Amino acid sequence: MNRLINTLKQPHPGYGDLRIYFRTVLGIVLVVFLILSILQPFKIGERNIEGNAYITAAVYAGGAFLAMSLNALWLLLFRDWFRAESWTLGKELIVMGYQFFSIGITIWLINHFRGTLAPEDTGFARSFFLAIAIGILPYIIATFGRHNYLLRHHLKAVAAFNEQLKELQMLKQEDAGRKTGTGYLNIPRLEHPVGVDDFLFAESKGNNLLIQFVANNRVQTHTVRSTLNDFAQANADISHLFRCHRSFIINLDKIMQVQGNAAGYQVVLHPELPPVVVARSNVAAFKQLLAEKG
C-alpha cells in the first residue's frame, strides 16, 4: 500500500501551460478521429451519420475536443491545485478519469439527440465504455508525447544552466578570497545566528521555517516559528537569496548543479540534501539571475 501511495505521489508533467494542454488535447482528438474514421470499432460503421464514416468521426471527435476544452476552465479556476511543480501521477489519473467521464456525457448527449439509435446504444454506460475503450490509447500516446517533449525541453535548459554554473565556479576559483556574503542572516526568534556564507536554503513547513546551513563541515537545521515572507523581507538586502518556489528561498551561490526532468527543474545545494524545486513561474527569473552573476 505504501508503495502504491509513493508511486501516486511521484512528480508528473503538469498543465501549467495551457498551450501544452491544448496541444495534448489536439493530439488525442486527431488519433480518435483516425480510429473512428478508419477502423470503425464496435460496429460504429453500422450506425454512421448519413452513412459517412468521416462525418461520424468528426462529430464524435469534435465532441471530445469540446468536452476537454471546457475542462480547461478548471485549470484557470483552481490554479493552485494544477500547479506544475506540485503535479503528481495521482492527480494525473484523477484528471484522466474526469476527462473520460465528461467525454462519456458528451457521447451520450450526441447519441440522445441523434434519435435514430437503438436503446442499448443511447445509455450512458455504453457511452462511457466507448469513451474509455476508444480514447485510452490516444490519451496514453498524447500523454507520453507531452512527457517526452517536456523532458527534452527541460534537459536542454538544464545543460545551459549548468554551463552558467561552470563559469561561475571558474570565477570563484580565480577569486578564491572573495566571500559570497558577509555577516549573518536576520532571523527573528532564532537563538543561534547563521552566517550568510553558510546558508543553503530556507523551507516553509506549516507555521515553521526550516533553515538548512553548513557548520563545521556538516549540514545542520534550525527550526523557527516564522514564515517565508518574513524571512524574505528581513533579508531583502542579500542579493544572492532567491525565492525559487512558494516554499523555498535558496542561496544562489551554493548551487552545485541544476537537474531536470519532464516535471520541471530542481537545484542541488548540498550532496546530503534532496534537490529543491524551481517553480515554473520562477524559471525565467532564475535564468536571468544566473546570467547576471556570470
Side-chain angles (χ1 to χ4, degrees), residues 3-287:
R3 181 183 239 175
L4 175 61
I5 293 174
N6 290 332
T7 299
L8 294 177
K9 289 182 177 179
Q10 288 295 315
H12 194 78
Y15 298 98
D17 190 335
L18 281 177
R19 293 173 300 178
I20 295 177
Y21 174 80
F22 278 105
R23 287 174 188 169
T24 304
V25 168
L26 184 60
I28 294 172
V29 168
L30 288 176
V31 178
V32 167
F33 176 82
L34 292 175
I35 291 175
L36 291 175
S37 60
I38 298 174
L39 300 180
Q40 294 266 280
F42 304 105
K43 299 181 180 181
I44 290 177
E46 299 176 2
R47 300 178 290 278
N48 278 329
I49 300 173
E50 301 293 332
N52 189 307
Y54 294 104
I55 293 177
T56 303
V59 168
Y60 286 101
F65 180 78
L66 177 62
M68 288 187 286
S69 296
L70 290 176
N71 288 341
L73 291 174
W74 298 116
L75 278 70
L76 299 174
L77 294 174
F78 301 98
R79 290 182 181 273
D80 284 345
W81 196 76
F82 282 96
R83 281 187 297 115
E85 59 269 21
S86 64
W87 199 248
T88 63
L89 178 60
K91 287 185 175 182
E92 181 69 28
L93 293 176
I94 291 173
V95 169
M96 182 176 70
Y98 181 77
Q99 293 279 30
F100 282 127
F101 179 77
S102 61
I103 293 170
I105 291 177
T106 303
I107 294 174
W108 175 75
L109 288 172
I110 293 173
N111 290 340
H112 179 74
F113 284 108
R114 282 182 64 180
T116 57
L117 299 177
E120 61 268 19
D121 293 325
T122 58
F124 176 74
R126 169 79 174 174
S127 300
F128 188 51
F129 166 76
L130 289 176
I132 296 176
I134 297 173
I136 189 65
L137 180 60
Y139 198 101
I140 292 174
I141 291 173
T143 299
F144 271 106
R146 182 176 104 244
H147 186 283
N148 290 331
Y149 167 79
L150 290 172
L151 179 61
R152 290 196 304 269
H153 177 74
H154 291 162
L155 290 180
K156 182 178 179 181
V158 162
F161 286 144
N162 286 322
E163 282 298 318
Q164 290 178 303
L165 287 176
K166 286 181 181 178
E167 294 177 5
L168 291 175
Q169 290 167 1
M170 290 177 62
L171 291 174
K172 290 179 182 178
Q173 290 175 357
E174 293 173 0
D175 187 13
R178 182 176 68 87
K179 292 289 185 180
T180 58
T182 58
Y184 297 95
L185 292 171
N186 184 0
I187 310 175
R189 297 185 293 278
L190 183 64
E191 297 180 0
H192 306 283
V194 175
V196 174
D197 289 330
D198 300 325
F199 172 70
L200 296 173
F201 65 85
E203 179 182 3
S204 176
K205 284 280 190 180
N207 294 323
N208 294 323
L209 195 64
L210 274 60
I211 309 296
Q212 301 282 3
F213 64 101
V214 176
N216 300 320
N217 295 320
R218 293 178 56 190
V219 175
Q220 298 189 30
T221 304
H222 282 333
T223 301
V224 61
R225 193 167 184 80
S226 184
T227 67
L228 206 61
N229 286 335
D230 290 341
F231 177 86
Q233 293 173 7
N235 297 279
D237 59 324
I238 304 175
S239 61
H240 49 273
L241 298 188
F242 174 62
R243 188 161 188 169
C244 64
H245 185 275
R246 65 191 302 176
S247 299
F248 292 96
I249 289 178
I250 63 173
N251 186 345
L252 291 173
D253 285 342
K254 297 298 181 180
I255 297 176
M256 301 177 63
Q257 184 185 31
V258 180
Q259 298 177 348
N261 53 34
Y265 305 98
Q266 306 88 38
V267 292
V268 177
L269 297 157
H270 195 279
E272 297 179 13
L273 294 173
V276 174
V277 174
V278 179
R280 178 186 294 273
S281 57
N282 295 333
V283 169
F286 176 65
K287 183 177 182 180

